[in-house]
Amino acid sequence: MAGGRVYRSNTSADAGSNNLSVLLQSQWVPSSSEPLDTLFIPGSSPSPFLGTRSMVSFEGVDRRRSYFRTFDEEEKVEEDIEEYLHRSEKKRRLTVDQVQFLEKSFEAENKLEPDRKVQLAKDLGLQSRQVAIWFQNRRARWKTKQLEKDYDSLQASYNSLKAGYDNLVKETDKLKEEVVQLADKLLLEGKEKGKSELPDAKTSSQELPSEAAEGEESKVVPEMKSDYTEGVHSSVLLEGAGSSYPFEPDQSDLSQDEEDNLSKGLLHLPSCVFPKLQDIDYSDPPAGSCNFGFPLDDHAFWSWAY
DNA sequence: TTGTGTTTTATTGCCTCC
DNA sequence: GGAGGCAATAAAACACAA
């Protein structure tokens, strides 16, 4: 590790001490960043957390030596020593009490100021570096959990929105079908009325498609009877016909042609009024005036729709 | 007992901030 | 340039089924 961190092993504990197993939990201390007070001195702390879980015994091993290591300057002897020490000095888990204490501390504040770190280390009989590492790992676990929570929450709101959207699609289909049926009905009535009242009714009826027209600039439907000028369908139809008020068409606003058509039993509708569902492009928010009741600026809706 | 998956502890390299 | 944070990763410890 050229240019990497230099670690110093903390091997000054007394072999054979009652608390040795815990006191020796840490293996490497960053020599450049850790103050001397991180070197735990046996017997200096009345920590209640010590000695509950013996992990590794170094009895009979003279470990009263400290040394520095860098990856650049390792000699054979040191390698041997290190290998030996590493074999013996295995990773050790913190005791239940230590973990509980750390957890409480983490709940209070998940960042660790230097003073707190040192205090915690003292209280727990750990090295401050170990405390720092524990907090680091704990933050990582917390972040992972948080991501899982966020994912679940997003998934739930997506499912809910999707269900709402599916319902709207069904409802739209149903309404569309209803409109087609009503349009057919009007067509028939218009024909019959035209036969009896208008001499040129035949010509007019020939302009009418059997269904609400598809893919054309305009659509032609017969004049609304009063029965059909109420409610959602008629309002939509009349709005599409250019009326300034969707429920009561003001004939003064109509052009001469429109008035003519009305008098002939015809209305021209822009093609956007009743597009087929399959003609709707969900990949982009709709531009223009045909938004089917959805807010034009509701990009969120269109972005999740597809 | 052993193989395997998960959790925990620790290291490393990079990045940011002061 | 040093200190500290984070992501990625290694490896020990642990849990558990076969």
Side-chain angles (χ1 to χ4, degrees), chain A residues 124-297:
Chain A
L124 293 168
L126 298 171
Q127 288 197 352
S128 56
R129 174 164 178 80
Q130 280 182 292
V131 175
I133 287 169
W134 188 90
F135 266 73
Q136 189 106 333
N137 288 323
R138 187 64 182 78
R139 278 196 295 272
R141 289 198 294 270
W142 179 84
K143 194 179 174 185
T144 305
K145 282 237 166 81
Q146 202 59 32
L147 278 173
E148 284 170 7
K149 271 187 190 172
D150 289 350
Y151 176 83
D152 288 345
S153 145
L154 281 172
Q155 178 100 1
S157 44
Y158 168 79
N159 288 339
S160 157
L161 282 169
K162 181 79 166 56
Y165 170 74
D166 289 343
N167 282 340
L168 279 175
V169 168
K170 276 182 197 162
E171 200 175 328
T172 305
D173 276 343
K174 203 174 147 191
L175 289 172
K176 201 176 138 249
E177 205 170 301
E178 208 174 316
V179 165
V180 169
Q181 284 171 3
L182 287 172
D184 283 346
K185 194 173 175 183
L186 284 172
L187 186 65
L188 280 174
E189 286 181 5
K191 272 184 186 172
E192 284 168 12
K193 198 176 174 184
K195 268 182 198 169
S196 57
E197 293 177 4
L198 297 171
D200 56 347
K202 192 182 173 188
T203 314
S204 302
S205 68
Q206 283 173 344
E207 296 175 23
L208 298 176
S210 58
E211 280 189 7
E214 316 167 16
E216 293 173 13
E217 276 293 285
S218 64
K219 296 168 180 51
V220 185
V221 299
E223 178 187 5
M224 297 289 154
K225 285 177 69 179
S226 59
D227 293 346
Y228 295 100
T229 56
E230 293 170 8
V232 60
H233 307 137
S234 56
S235 72
V236 171
L237 288 166
L238 291 172
E239 189 178 23
S243 166
S244 61
Y245 186 66
F247 296 101
E248 293 176 25
D250 180 357
Q251 301 213 355
S252 65
D253 288 337
L254 302 177
S255 67
Q256 188 57 51
D257 281 348
E258 284 167 329
E259 282 190 48
D260 289 344
N261 284 331
L262 273 175
S263 70
K264 286 191 258 177
L266 295 173
L267 272 177
H268 290 272
L269 298 178
S271 60
C272 67
V273 175
F274 300 119
K276 292 205 157 192
L277 270 184
Q278 58 266 30
D279 294 333
I280 301 173
D281 180 11
Y282 294 108
S283 61
D284 281 309
S289 60
C290 307
N291 58 358
F292 316 112
F294 298 123
L296 280 176
D297 56 347

Side-chain angles (χ1 to χ4, degrees), chain A residues 32-43:
Chain A
S32 58
S33 61
E34 296 293 330
L36 282 177
D37 59 6
T38 64
L39 296 176
F40 181 76
I41 302 169

